Amino acid sequence: MQNESALLTAENLTAIAQKMLSELAARAALTGLTLRFAGDLPGFIVSRCDVGAYGARPLRRFIVSEIETPLSALLLAERPSAVDVAVEDDGIALKAE
């Protein structure tokens, strides 16, 4: 029997990353915060994660460590109404409005 991750293509993983980001944006919207993600962000996330036998779980860990945690610190410091999340200099950049 094949493991689940063997069935996940880069396209599948990119769609999963997009869904995870959409869910994050929906949670943020409940608090009045608008999150805008760059179009290349899901693909960048997939390129940074070694899914191996773990399926999409590394995508979640990456989003938490590289987006949600810095976003929390930004929200505590600045209280913006909107945040743009983009790929810059081979990393993730958050810009508050």
Side-chain angles (χ1 to χ4, degrees), residues 42-85:
F44 177 78
I45 292 169
V46 170
S47 74
R48 293 306 200 121
C49 295
D50 179 20
V51 295
Y54 301 107
R57 279 170 266 171
L59 302 177
R60 171 62 60 209
R61 283 192 291 277
F62 184 90
I63 290 170
V64 168
S65 68
E66 301 298 321
I67 298 174
E68 291 184 25
T69 300
L71 177 62
S72 296
L74 178 66
L75 293 174
L76 289 172
E78 297 186 32
R79 301 233 185 244
S81 61
V83 175
D84 293 318
V85 184

Side-chain angles (χ1 to χ4, degrees), residues 18-37:
Q18 180 61 54
K19 184 175 191 296
M20 290 176 177
L21 293 172
S22 294
E23 290 169 354
L24 175 58
R27 287 193 327 263
L30 293 174
T31 68
L33 176 67
T34 301
L35 290 179
R36 294 182 293 253
F37 300 108

Side-chain angles (χ1 to χ4, degrees), residues 1-23:
M1 182 172 157
Q2 281 186 319
N3 66 29
E4 181 182 322
S5 65
L7 304 175
L8 295 174
T9 65
E11 185 177 301
N12 296 142
L13 292 166
T14 301
I16 291 167
Q18 180 61 54
K19 184 175 191 296
M20 290 176 177
L21 293 172
S22 294
E23 290 169 354

